Amino acid sequence: MDPACTSESIYNLIPSDLKEPPQRPRYSSLFKATIKDDMKKLKTGMKTMGPAKVEVPSPKDFLRKHSKDIQLPPKKTFNRFSSKKPAVPLRTDHPVMGIQSGKNFINTNVADVIVGVAKKPKPIYVDKRTGDRHDLETSGLFPKYINKKGSVHVPQLTCRSRDDFVRIIDYGIIPEYICKRNEDVKKAQEEYDNYVQENLKKAAMKRLCDEEREAVLQGLKKNWEEVHKEFQSLSVFIDSIPKKIRKQKLEKEMKQLEHDISIIEKHKIIYIANQ
């Protein structure tokens, strides 16, 4: 860059010996230390969290006399001469000796094993690598109820005990009150369907014949001619609010009549709903 251009730069007009103004010391209150000491003195364990939520005792459970005394067991009469242990056998007493049994336990055990039914192992499942075993039947993994036959309805069924109730639930017998409730729901649904069908029949649409359609079309055209004649009889200058309102009303009626006439002329078959 040319040194002449550098000397003529506008940044050279800014003095380079500017210094930042000295910062004033920040204001600090004289009572800051005193306030900190007072806050530490007044702060307790529950000062910031509020009072402890302790259940208020009921007025009926007031403290009664001797209610906190230790209840001792009832006293028993002590008999010094009562014997707690059986008597020591005499020196002359001898045990019964020489009694033998003629039963052959080996043959008996062999016969029990041959005749008896082998015990089936209880189904279990292991859910951890450490070998924790659990009952399979009550775990929900064994298909116990889905393979049973359909439920059977037994009329006038009463449960006289808990075992009867468990038997009913286990074998899928539907109680009588549930069957009655299902019949009531089905009957109410049928009545509602019949009511809807009757209303649909009453509200069935009626078809206009060609003569009625032509009469309606001619009536609409006649009304349009009357409104158009009244519209043309308006004054040329519409300089008041009532005149403007009347003109807008006639235009709206003519537009609606033209729309109805076009629909009837376009469609040859027309249905109307019964009121």
Side-chain angles (χ1 to χ4, degrees):
M1 183 180 290
D2 192 0
C5 296
T6 305
S7 60
E8 294 180 359
S9 177
I10 192 172
Y11 293 102
N12 295 333
L13 300 176
I14 301 174
S16 59
D17 56 347
L18 290 177
K19 297 181 180 180
E20 295 182 358
Q23 294 183 357
R24 295 181 180 181
R26 190 173 182 180
Y27 173 76
S28 179
S29 176
L30 300 175
F31 306 100
K32 185 176 182 180
T34 308
I35 292 172
K36 283 186 177 181
D37 295 339
D38 292 343
M39 290 292 290
K40 290 180 180 180
K41 290 178 182 178
L42 297 176
K43 182 179 277 191
T44 57
M46 296 184 180
K47 205 69 176 177
T48 57
M49 300 300 293
K53 295 182 180 180
V54 182
E55 186 177 358
V56 181
S58 174
K60 297 181 181 179
D61 300 336
F62 56 89
L63 188 64
R64 292 175 175 82
K65 188 176 182 181
H66 302 295
S67 61
K68 292 190 176 182
D69 295 348
I70 300 174
Q71 298 294 332
L72 299 176
K75 295 182 179 180
K76 297 181 180 180
T77 56
F78 177 72
N79 188 3
R80 187 182 299 272
F81 302 100
S82 62
S83 60
K84 297 183 179 179
K85 296 181 180 180
V88 179
L90 298 176
R91 186 178 295 179
T92 58
D93 294 341
H94 299 284
V96 180
M97 303 292 290
I99 299 176
Q100 295 181 359
S101 174
K103 183 179 180 180
N104 190 348
F105 291 96
I106 296 175
N107 295 336
T108 304
N109 293 337
V110 170
D112 292 340
V113 170
I114 294 172
V115 177
V117 180
K119 186 179 179 181
K120 294 182 179 180
K122 190 176 182 180
I124 59 173
Y125 73 97
V126 180
D127 60 350
K128 293 183 179 179
R129 61 185 179 84
T130 55
D132 296 341
R133 300 187 301 173
H134 303 280
D135 189 5
L136 180 62
E137 187 175 356
T138 59
S139 64
L141 302 174
F142 182 73
K144 182 179 179 181
Y145 295 99
I146 60 175
N147 296 329
K148 291 191 175 184
K149 296 181 180 180
S151 60
V152 180
H153 172 59
V154 179
Q156 297 181 356
L157 184 64
T158 57
C159 300
R160 289 175 289 182
S161 64
R162 183 179 179 276
D163 296 335
D164 294 343
F165 182 72
V166 172
R167 179 177 58 82
I168 291 170
I169 294 177
D170 190 27
Y171 289 94
I173 299 175
I174 301 176
E176 184 180 0
Y177 74 96
I178 294 181
C179 296
K180 185 178 179 181
R181 183 182 299 172
N182 293 338
E183 291 176 0
D184 295 341
V185 171
K186 186 177 180 181
K187 185 177 179 181
Q189 184 66 30
E190 290 177 357
E191 292 178 355
Y192 176 75
D193 294 340
N194 295 334
Y195 172 75
V196 172
Q197 293 294 334
E198 291 178 0
N199 287 341
L200 290 175
K201 290 179 180 178
K202 291 180 181 178
M205 304 186 76
K206 178 185 176 183
R207 178 181 174 180
L208 286 179
C209 61
D210 296 339
E211 298 173 355
E212 293 177 347
R213 173 178 170 278
E214 190 65 26
V216 172
L217 183 60
Q218 295 299 328
L220 292 174
K221 290 182 178 180
K222 185 177 179 181
N223 293 338
W224 184 85
E225 291 177 357
E226 293 177 358
V227 175
H228 185 262
K229 183 178 180 181
E230 189 176 356
F231 178 78
Q232 289 197 346
S233 63
L234 293 174
S235 60
V236 179
F237 297 100
I238 309 298
D239 53 357
S240 63
I241 295 176
K243 291 181 180 180
K244 290 182 181 179
I245 294 174
R246 182 169 177 77
K247 181 183 178 183
Q248 293 175 359
K249 182 180 178 182
L250 293 175
E251 288 177 349
K252 188 176 181 180
E253 290 180 2
M254 290 173 61
K255 190 174 182 180
Q256 183 65 36
L257 289 170
E258 289 174 358
H259 180 264
D260 296 341
I261 291 170
S262 63
I263 289 177
I264 294 177
E265 289 180 345
K266 185 177 180 181
H267 300 87
K268 302 296 182 182
I269 301 174
I270 298 175
Y271 292 91
I272 58 173
N274 293 330
Q275 299 295 333

